[in-house]
């Protein structure tokens, strides 16, 4: 599929994924997923940033990364945004059942951060979401992320070194080059 067609198709697939696949939740909010090794890398990144009090995750799904972070850093405040309302509702139910008061989840497009105030969160996270964003939109998103984040962001993404390429409708960006060209690489992990 053409990646530019995917740019418009992917948001609908993610928004209505629960209608497309009945097993869409498998692997999203279970013990195996909570303990996935890449989540420990996210935890370690936060551990190295003790002055972070608020974190915003774009493309949070059901908030699983934020739930994991909350286990280690319950004093911090977490906000998650995802386009899939059903995933957000599942996450909110989990948060309610497990009494996790420091996580707020919202169903919206990640570009809704344009409405947020400048420097309104300490740190931001993306995890396997930027592969659905084309290069032009990625620059726009990074500009907004840099505007609202006080200290930068962590990108837990598949990346390329050098050229941007597409694999099965998933973009592989050279994030370091893009951010360097934006004069922003010092603020990001």
């Amino acid at each position: 599929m053409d990646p530019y067609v995917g740019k418009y198709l992917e948001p609908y697939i993610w928004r209505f994924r629960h209608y497309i696949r009945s097993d869409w939740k498998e692997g999203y909010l279970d013990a195996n997923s909570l303990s996935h090794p890449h989540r420990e890398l996210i935890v370690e990144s936060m551990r190295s940033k003790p002055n972070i009090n608020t974190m915003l995750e774009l493309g949070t799904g059901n908030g699983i990364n934020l739930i994991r972070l909350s286990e280690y850093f319950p004093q911090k405040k977490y906000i998650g945004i995802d386009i899939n309302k059903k995933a957000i509702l599942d996450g909110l139910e989990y948060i309610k059942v497990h009494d996790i008061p420091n996580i707020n989840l919202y169903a919206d497009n990640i570009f809704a951060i344009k409405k947020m105030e400048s420097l309104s969160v300490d740190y931001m996270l993306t995890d396997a979401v930027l592969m659905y964003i084309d290069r032009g939109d990625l620059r726009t998103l990074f500009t907004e992320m840099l505007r609202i984040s006080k200290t930068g962001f962590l990108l837990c993404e598949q990346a390329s070194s050098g050229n941007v390429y597409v694999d099965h409708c998933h973009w592989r960006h050279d994030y370091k080059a893009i951010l360097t060209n934006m004069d922003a690489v010092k603020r990001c992990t």
Side-chain angles (χ1 to χ4, degrees), residues 2 30 32 36 46 56 67 69 95 115 127 165:
D2 183 299
D30 57 27
N32 289 334
H36 191 277
M46 278 294 280
L56 170 63
I67 291 166
L69 285 165
I95 289 165
K115 299 180 261 182
D127 181 4
Y165 70 94

Side-chain angles (χ1 to χ4, degrees), residues 85-129:
K85 185 177 181 179
K86 177 69 173 136
I88 292 293
L89 291 173
D90 285 352
L92 289 171
E93 179 64 23
Y94 185 94
I95 289 165
K96 180 181 176 185
V97 167
H98 292 86
D99 191 27
I100 307 172
N102 59 333
I103 300 176
N104 292 305
L105 301 177
Y106 301 95
D108 211 336
N109 186 299
I110 61 175
F111 288 94
I113 64 172
K114 290 180 180 182
K115 299 180 261 182
M116 295 178 71
E117 291 184 30
S118 295
L119 304 176
S120 56
V121 297
D122 292 327
Y123 198 55
M124 296 181 67
L125 167 67
T126 69
D127 181 4
V129 69

Side-chain angles (χ1 to χ4, degrees), residues 3-11 58 83 109-114 126 129-146 153 155 164 171 173 175 178-179 182:
Y4 295 99
V5 173
K7 168 184 175 176
Y8 299 103
L9 185 59
E10 288 291 345
L58 301 179
I83 198 167
N109 186 299
I110 61 175
F111 288 94
I113 64 172
K114 290 180 180 182
T126 69
V129 69
L130 299 182
M131 69 177 110
Y132 302 107
I133 310 293
D134 72 37
R135 189 178 186 120
D137 288 342
L138 184 63
R139 287 179 176 274
T140 300
L141 185 63
F142 279 165
T143 298
E144 291 301 317
M145 290 170 70
L146 290 164
F153 43 82
L155 305 178
V164 173
W171 292 88
H173 301 282
Y175 299 106
I178 294 168
L179 291 166
M182 295 177 69

Side-chain angles (χ1 to χ4, degrees), residues 33-64:
S33 187
L34 272 170
S35 63
H36 191 277
H38 89 283
R39 295 193 209 294
E40 297 311 313
L41 295 173
I42 295 169
V43 168
E44 288 307 311
S45 176
M46 278 294 280
R47 188 168 279 132
S48 70
K49 298 175 180 1
N51 296 326
I52 302 296
N53 295 311
T54 57
M55 174 184 263
L56 170 63
E57 182 180 18
L58 301 179
T60 195
N62 55 18
I64 191 163

